[in-house]
Amino acid sequence: MRKVILSLLLVLLTASFAAADTIVLRSGTSLRGTVLGFINGRFAVRLTAGATLPVNPTNTRNQTGESASTRVVREGEVIFLRPRDIDRIEIDGRSIEDARYQTRVVDVSLGPNWIDSGVDIRRGERVKIDATGTIYAGRMRITPAGSTTNDQYAPLPRAPEGALICVIGNDYDSPIIELGARREFVADREGRLFLTANRASYEDARGSYNVRVQKEIDLAAMARADDNRNPNDNSYDPFGLPGDSGSASTRSRTRPGGDGPRNRDRTSRTTEVVIDVPANLPRGVDTGVALRAGDQVTITATGTIIAGRRAGESTPDGIRTGAGSILGTNLRPVPTAGVGALIGLVFMANGQSTQPFLVGSQLTFTAPSDGRLFLMVNDDNYSDNSGSFSVRIRYPN
């Protein structure tokens, strides 16, 4: 119990200090000072009042005091204390609630990669996000809450365009979380926290959001680590973010299409999804499938639609009818394919798309670029169409 209490008290030192703290050593000595940080396994404390400290008999070479067992330290002097030498700490002038959270501040700009926050999250941890700042995209001025418009090719098409969003982990199918200017949530998975703005295009963007990330400290885990650690190991930092160190390289997540980050280390597993593709949508259907260049994708489609009053009923392979097809003057996305045929295209991160291609009732193809797969019906007038195709998509996981 005493170690748990000590761990709790030590956690409070993560906050910045405006007032002096009282540090009570196990020897009974009380110190008044300001904790500067945790360095090489010790707390650095600048004293605001002089004190006499007990000295380990095997280490008296820096002794300036009165005997071989004590050392006099003066006001303003910086001393280093091991966590195991501290009995308790009395915190002055700060909120205990705030001190329960580790805090990191990161600038989030809009670019080809999601921004690595440097924070690793564990399942069940509570996370708080607060964001300010402005991103300018073209003629738009966007805040972390997002604009009044939507971007159907953004990572979260139904969320405000430009809103701050995040994802936990480097798996491409990790759910994207809308944050806005402020959000608090409990993590449902483990992984690195990545941040970006909810917008497909980034080439015209400038500026950034200033984001404060706070995660609640797992006191129970910290107590277990303190119980089990080697007492001679001075490298243990109870307040370090998991996986974080000064020499650690920044991790990266790319933003292919509207899907956001993807894990570039693919496995041999595949995933299947089944969706309906209505015939009356001129911009097509976002399948929710994010592809990487070189992915082998298989699509099969069944059902019939009505492709307008003139063309009538059509299968996914389409029908040939009308003078427009004969003369080559039609305005369908794939002029060489029949009216009502199932077609596809891939939207990329820069807002551009590949050329539409015929899918028909069955197609296996290699993804030409990173991006989001869209499916639609091949027509030049969607207002009088009805029905939908049932489409099964098989792609690498």
Side-chain angles (χ1 to χ4, degrees):
M1 176 62 70
R2 189 172 186 179
K3 287 189 176 182
V4 173
I5 295 174
L6 174 58
S7 296
L8 172 61
L9 292 171
L10 295 181
V11 165
L12 302 180
L13 295 178
T14 58
S16 58
F17 296 78
D21 307 314
T22 300
I23 301 96
V24 180
L25 304 183
R26 293 187 183 276
S27 64
T29 302
S30 294
L31 306 175
R32 293 284 291 174
T34 300
V35 177
L36 303 178
F38 190 80
I39 303 172
N40 294 331
R42 294 176 174 82
F43 291 103
V45 180
R46 177 180 286 115
L47 297 181
T48 57
T52 300
L53 300 178
V55 174
N56 188 324
T58 62
N59 183 20
T60 60
R61 60 182 179 180
N62 295 325
Q63 177 184 331
T64 60
E66 302 166 351
S67 72
S69 60
T70 61
R71 174 191 171 199
V72 175
V73 289
R74 299 176 178 82
E75 179 181 352
E77 186 173 348
V78 176
I79 62 174
F80 294 87
L81 302 172
R82 297 177 185 273
R84 63 174 177 262
D85 295 330
I86 301 172
D87 181 71
R88 69 180 186 275
I89 300 172
E90 298 172 2
I91 304 298
D92 292 335
R94 88 205 60 146
S95 166
I96 292 180
E97 174 69 19
D98 289 342
R100 289 172 48 237
Y101 288 84
Q102 293 171 316
T103 302
R104 175 159 295 189
V105 178
V106 58
D107 286 330
V108 177
S109 57
L110 182 56
N113 292 329
W114 289 54
I115 302 301
D116 180 2
S117 71
V119 178
D120 288 309
I121 305 296
R122 292 190 178 97
R123 183 189 300 271
E125 287 185 327
R126 185 174 298 277
V127 181
K128 292 182 177 181
I129 305 289
D130 292 280
T132 58
T134 303
I135 287 177
Y136 298 90
R139 297 183 178 181
M140 297 178 62
R141 181 181 181 274
I142 310 174
T143 66
S147 68
T148 57
T149 61
N150 298 99
D151 181 351
Q152 65 172 321
Y153 307 126
L156 284 178
R158 296 184 180 180
E161 181 177 0
L164 180 67
I165 57 177
C166 76
V167 67
I168 299 173
N170 207 25
D171 296 326
Y172 78 91
D173 57 351
S174 295
I176 299 172
I177 303 171
E178 180 183 351
L179 299 174
R182 178 172 296 178
R183 177 76 185 271
E184 181 174 340
F185 64 91
V186 175
D188 64 352
R189 65 192 58 232
E190 296 185 357
R192 193 79 153 201
L193 181 70
F194 292 87
L195 302 159
T196 192
N198 187 44
R199 194 167 188 261
S201 179
Y202 54 83
E203 293 179 346
D204 61 344
R206 64 188 189 280
S208 63
Y209 298 148
N210 184 260
V211 182
R212 184 178 67 166
V213 181
Q214 294 180 292
K215 72 166 187 173
E216 191 172 21
I217 298 167
D218 187 343
L219 300 178
M222 187 176 294
R224 289 194 297 270
D226 189 68
D227 287 340
N228 298 329
R229 77 182 182 92
N230 186 335
N232 297 318
D233 179 9
N234 295 328
S235 63
Y236 171 66
D237 181 353
F239 306 133
L241 294 170
D244 178 49
S245 68
S247 60
S249 59
T250 301
R251 302 180 190 178
S252 176
R253 290 181 68 101
T254 56
R255 308 179 75 248
D259 180 59
R262 297 277 308 270
N263 185 349
R264 312 304 285 186
D265 297 325
R266 292 296 194 99
T267 69
S268 58
R269 296 177 300 173
T270 58
T271 295
E272 284 191 0
V273 297
V274 178
I275 65 168
D276 289 331
V277 179
N280 61 350
L281 299 181
R283 300 183 69 90
V285 173
D286 181 356
T287 65
V289 174
L291 301 177
R292 190 180 74 176
D295 281 350
Q296 294 293 311
V297 185
T298 297
I299 303 175
T300 56
T302 58
T304 59
I305 62 166
I306 302 299
R309 291 184 295 273
R310 290 179 301 169
E313 188 175 82
S314 172
T315 69
D317 293 315
I319 54 178
R320 296 282 182 176
T321 184
S325 295
I326 299 173
L327 300 176
T329 60
N330 68 76
L331 301 177
R332 296 192 295 270
V334 184
T336 57
V339 177
L342 180 67
I343 61 175
L345 65 163
V346 177
F347 277 94
M348 296 171 286
N350 59 8
Q352 303 298 312
S353 69
T354 63
Q355 288 294 321
F357 54 89
L358 174 64
V359 174
S361 58
Q362 183 169 348
L363 174 69
T364 297
F365 70 99
T366 300
S369 65
D370 288 3
R372 193 89 159 194
L373 176 64
F374 278 67
L375 295 175
M376 60 191 299
V377 166
N378 191 43
D379 204 348
D380 58 0
N381 179 15
Y382 296 84
S383 61
D384 57 353
N385 292 356
S386 61
S388 63
F389 295 133
S390 177
V391 181
R392 182 181 301 273
I393 307 167
R394 183 182 179 91
Y395 61 99
N397 186 0

